[in-house]
Amino acid sequence: MEATAEFVVESPDVVYGPDAIEAQYEYRTTCVSREGGVLKVYPTSTRFTFRTVRQVPRLGVMLVGWGGNNGSTLTAAVLANRLRLSWPTRTGRKEANYYGSLTQAGTVSLGLDAEGQEVFVPFSALLPMVAPDDLVFDGWDISSVNLAEAMRRAQVLDWGLQEQLWPHMESLRPRPSVYIPEFIAANQSARADNLILGTRAQQLEQIRRDIRDFRSSAGLDKVIVLWTANTERFCEVVPGLNDTAENLLRTIQLGLEVSPSTLFAVASILEGCAFLNGSPQNTLVPGALELARQRRVFVGGDDFKSGQTKVKSVLVDFLIGSGLKTMSIVSYNHLGNNDGQNLSAPPQFRSKEVSKSSVVDDMVQSNPVLYAPGEEPDHCVVIKYVPYVGDSKRALDEYTSELMLGGTNTLVLHNTCEDSLLAAPIMLDLVLLTELCQRVSFCTDADPEPQSFHSVLSLLSFLFKAPLVPPGSPVVNALFRQRSCIENILRACVGLPPQNHMLLEHKMERPGLTRGGPVVAACPVPCKKGPAPTAPNGCTGDANGHSQVEAPQMPTT
Ligand code: NAD
C-alpha cells in the first residue's frame, strides 16, 4: 500500500486560512454514573474549535547531557539526515533515516479509497511540523569533550558514519553545566570537568543566559530544553522547600537542596521554554509544575519509553486485554554504557526502578473481571552493569499468566536494544510534538476564550515510561491507547473523526455507506518541498493547506 504525503480535508468544518487551520470538531464521549446499583451511561457531545498556526518556527533544541550517548547520537542522526549521508557496513551500504520516530517513520490511515482500501499518509503530514533536518542543537554537559569525541566515546555509530560526521561535530562543544555530586553516582566524578560554579542562584542565572544567548546567536524563534543527562537520585518533596513555585524559587535563592535537573527546569520555564525530562528522577517537583502552570509553559516527563518498558506496555495490554490473568512479570537488564554505570549505584537505580514499576497499573485496573481490588501481578526489575555489551542493552523478560481451568502461559523474551538508537528518535518526537502543541489552541461552545493544552503535556505519554499528567487525570501506559491519543487529537485539529478501526463498510451484508468525494492523494512519499498548489478552498499553500513560508516569524512561547 502506498503512503501519500499530502491531503486536503474537504469539509465545511475545516478552513485553511492564510495563518491557521481552523477545524470544528464534535468531541463525543460518555459519562457514567452509579444510580441504585446500576451504571447509567450518558453519551455527551462538546463542540470544539481547533486552531493550528501554520507557520513552523526556526526551532532550537538544548540538550542537558549533550555529550552523552543519547545527546551525541541524536545530533549525529540529524546531521547524517541533513547531509544525506550513506556509509559502507559489512552488510552493505546504509543510508541515514529516522526509523523509530513516530512522526517521521509512522503513518496514519486517512480513510478508504474508492476500492475500499486504506490510504496512509506519514504521521508528520497530519499538521505542519518542524522538519527534523532543520533543528538547531546546543546544550550543556559536565564533561567538556566536543561532540565528535562524544560520538566516538559512545561507540554507537558505524565507523564509516563517524568518519564522515567528525568534521561537522568537532566544533560543537557543550556549555559548562551544574554538577552537584550527591545527585548522580560517584563513578561519574571523573568526567565532571566543565562546570558552572557559584551559588545556586548564580547557576540558575547562567543557565538562563545560555538559553538567551543560544536563541539570539542562532536566530531562533523558539527553544525547547530536554534533559538527557544522567539519572539522578530522587529529590524529597518537602513542604516549604519545593512544594510550591514560590518556595522552590526561594530555595534556589537561599542555596538549599535542589537537584541540577530541577534547576534546569526552572531556568527553562522562566525563559518561557518547554522543558522535557528524559530521565526517571522527579525533576518536576510540585513547585516546578506550579511554576510551569503560572507561566503557561509546557513540561513533560518522565524517562524515555524506549525498550523493555515499551514492549511491556504492549505485551501486558495484549495479555490482559485478551482475558489472560498475568500474575508475574520479571525483567532483567544488563547494559554497559555510561548510563548503566551510573545506574549501578543504588539511589540512581531506585529512580529507574520506580519509573519502570507502575507501567502495568492502568491495564491491571482496567480489568476487574480478572483482578480483585488491590490485587496486582508480582513485578520485579533488575538492572546490572556489564561493560562489554556497551550501548547494546539486553532486556530479558518473563511474563506468566493464568489460563482457563488452571493452565499457565509463560512468555520469555530476549530483546537486544541498541539503547541510544532507540532513544534518539523518541527525543526527536518529543521536541517536534511539543513544538506543534505550542501552535494549537482551541475553544468550546461553552468556553469561547481560546486556550492551550494543560501545561503538563500528557499528550506525550506515548514517549515516556512514567508519564506525567495533570493532577487528577488518569495515567495511560498502554502503548496503543497512547498512540491513538496523539493521532486522534491531531486528526481533530483538521476536523477528522477519531480512528475507530470499525471498518463497518466491509462488514455489511448490503454495503450502502454514503461516500464523499475522493481523497486527494497529491504525490507519493517523499515529497517534502514541492510547488505550492492552490487548495480547493482557494487558499495557497501546499496541498495540505500548509504554508510554504521559508523564514517564519513565531512568537516564542
Ligand atoms: P550517558 O551517561 O551516556 O549521558 C549522560 C550525559 O549527561 C553524560 O555525558 C554526562 O557527562 C552528562 N551529565 C551528567 N550530569 C549532568 C549535569 N548535571 N548537567 C549536564 N550534563 C550532565 O547516558 P545516556 O545513555 O545518554 O542516557 C541519558 C539519560 O537518558 C539517562 O538518565 C538514562 O537513564 C535516560 N534514558 C535513556 C534511555 C535509552 O538510552 N534508551 C531510555 C530511557 C531513559
Side-chain angles (χ1 to χ4, degrees), residues 306-308 311 332-335 388-397 413-422:
S306 59
Q308 184 177 62
V311 173
Y332 297 90
N333 300 261
H334 58 271
L335 72 168
Y388 183 75
V389 302
D391 203 64
S392 188
K393 183 169 83 185
R394 314 298 208 262
L396 290 76
D397 293 77
L413 208 87
H414 185 290
N415 185 351
T416 307
C417 313
E418 296 203 30
D419 235 11
S420 301
L421 294 174
L422 289 172

Side-chain angles (χ1 to χ4, degrees), residues 69-70 141 177-178 191 230-231 279 303 306 338-339 352:
N69 284 19
N70 289 347
D141 205 295
S177 191
V178 177
R191 58 200 279 158
N230 288 123
T231 298
S279 300
D303 205 6
S306 59
N338 188 53
D339 180 32
K352 198 58 128 184

